[in-house]
Amino acid sequence: GENVEQHPSTLSVQEGDSAVIKCTYSDSASNYFPWYKQELGKRPQLIIDIRSNVGEKKDQRIAVTLNKTAKHFSLHITETQPEDSAVYFCASNTGGFKTIFGAGTRLFVKA
Amino acid sequence: DTGVSQNPRHKITKRGQNVTFRCDPISEHNRLYWYRQTLGQGPEFLTYFQNEAQLEKSRLLSDRFSAERPKGSFSTLEIQRTEQGDSAMYLCASSLRGPSYNEQFFGPGTRLTVL
C-alpha cells in the first residue's frame, strides 16, 4: 500500500548550520508533497509544499526538492535557529483525499 | 479564533465506554479530515468528508469508529466500546475544495486516554 519513509528520525545541529530531512514515497501517482512542522503540544502547521510539476521550491530559509524518478523529496533548512526545533513531517498525496504522513523527524537546534 | 477547533481537548475514559469528539472547521472550508496520531508517529488518515458526504474511510478504521458531518459544517467522531489501543491524539483538519490540493489546517486535537 501507500507508504512514506522519512529519515532521520532525530537530527541535532548547531545553530547556524543546515538541516536536511529526506523522504521517499511508494505511490507513483503521488503529485503533492507538503511538509508540516509540529512544535511540542501544538498542532501540525504547513511550512512549505511542492507539486509534481516542480523540482524545487524555496521560501526564505526553507527549500524543498523533488525527484520524481527516484520518488524522493527533501526539506532543507539553512541558517538554523533554536526556534526551528520541532518535529517535521513530510507527506504525500495522490490528488485524492488521502494524505500519507511520514513518521517525523525531531530536529534539535543547539544554541 | 477563526481556526479549526476541537472539543474536548482531553478525554479520559474507561475501557468499554463510548466517546464522542467534535470538530468545527474553518467556516468556508468544505473538506474535513480526521486523523489519529500516536506518540512518535505522523498523523494517520481515518476519514474524509466533502460537505456532508463521507467520501473515504481508512481500512484501519474498525466498525467501532463512526464519523458524521450532518450539515456539512461541524463533524463528530464516535468511538464505541473503547479499547486501550484507542489511546491517541485525534486530529481534525479542514481545507478548501479547489483545482489544486489546498493546505489542510489542523485543529489542536483531542487527546484520548483509555484506562
Side-chain angles (χ1 to χ4, degrees), chain A residues 22-105:
Chain A
K22 299 182 179 182
C23 290
T24 60
Y25 60 96
S26 60
D27 191 340
S28 57
S30 295
N31 53 16
Y32 173 63
F33 305 91
W35 285 87
Y36 285 83
K37 176 183 180 181
Q38 187 172 30
E39 297 179 44
L40 189 63
K42 297 192 176 179
R43 68 193 77 187
Q45 291 193 303
L46 183 77
I47 55 171
I48 196 168
D49 55 16
I50 191 167
R51 305 191 193 284
S52 58
N53 59 347
V54 175
E56 184 173 357
K57 182 177 178 180
K58 190 173 182 180
D59 182 4
Q60 299 182 351
R61 296 187 297 108
I62 296 173
V64 59
T65 59
L66 171 64
N67 182 330
K68 287 174 56 181
T69 303
K71 298 182 187 174
H72 289 172
F73 58 115
S74 300
L75 177 72
H76 304 252
I77 306 174
T78 58
E79 300 172 23
T80 53
Q81 302 167 2
E83 51 264 38
D84 294 331
S85 296
V87 179
Y88 292 81
F89 295 100
C90 61
S92 74
N93 183 293
T94 60
F97 318 124
K98 191 173 180 178
T99 299
I100 306 297
F101 285 80
T105 295

Side-chain angles (χ1 to χ4, degrees), chain B residues 2-100:
Chain B
T2 56
V4 178
S5 62
Q6 292 186 244
N7 287 288
R9 295 291 306 276
H10 302 273
K11 178 70 177 178
I12 300 174
T13 191
K14 293 182 179 179
R15 188 177 54 185
Q17 298 295 305
N18 299 343
V19 295
T20 301
F21 310 141
R22 176 176 170 132
C23 171
D24 286 89
I26 294 172
S27 59
E28 62 268 28
H29 287 186
N30 51 9
R31 290 180 168 178
L32 187 147
Y33 312 78
W34 284 99
Y35 293 89
R36 177 170 61 191
Q37 186 176 26
T38 54
L39 196 63
Q41 297 297 315
E44 177 186 33
F45 172 83
L46 293 179
T47 191
Y48 159 81
F49 289 86
Q50 183 161 295
N51 299 313
E52 65 277 6
Q54 186 174 18
L55 297 183
E56 189 164 353
K57 187 174 176 180
S58 171
R59 289 170 293 179
L60 300 174
L61 216 58
S62 77
D63 292 342
R64 297 184 296 106
F65 288 72
S66 62
E68 294 182 341
R69 195 183 182 197
K71 297 182 180 179
S73 56
F74 73 92
S75 175
T76 59
L77 177 69
E78 181 183 18
I79 309 174
Q80 296 182 326
R81 304 181 304 282
T82 52
E83 302 172 356
Q84 287 185 326
D86 297 330
S87 295
M89 176 73 83
Y90 289 83
L91 293 165
C92 174
S94 69
S95 70
L96 279 170
R97 179 185 180 184
S100 59

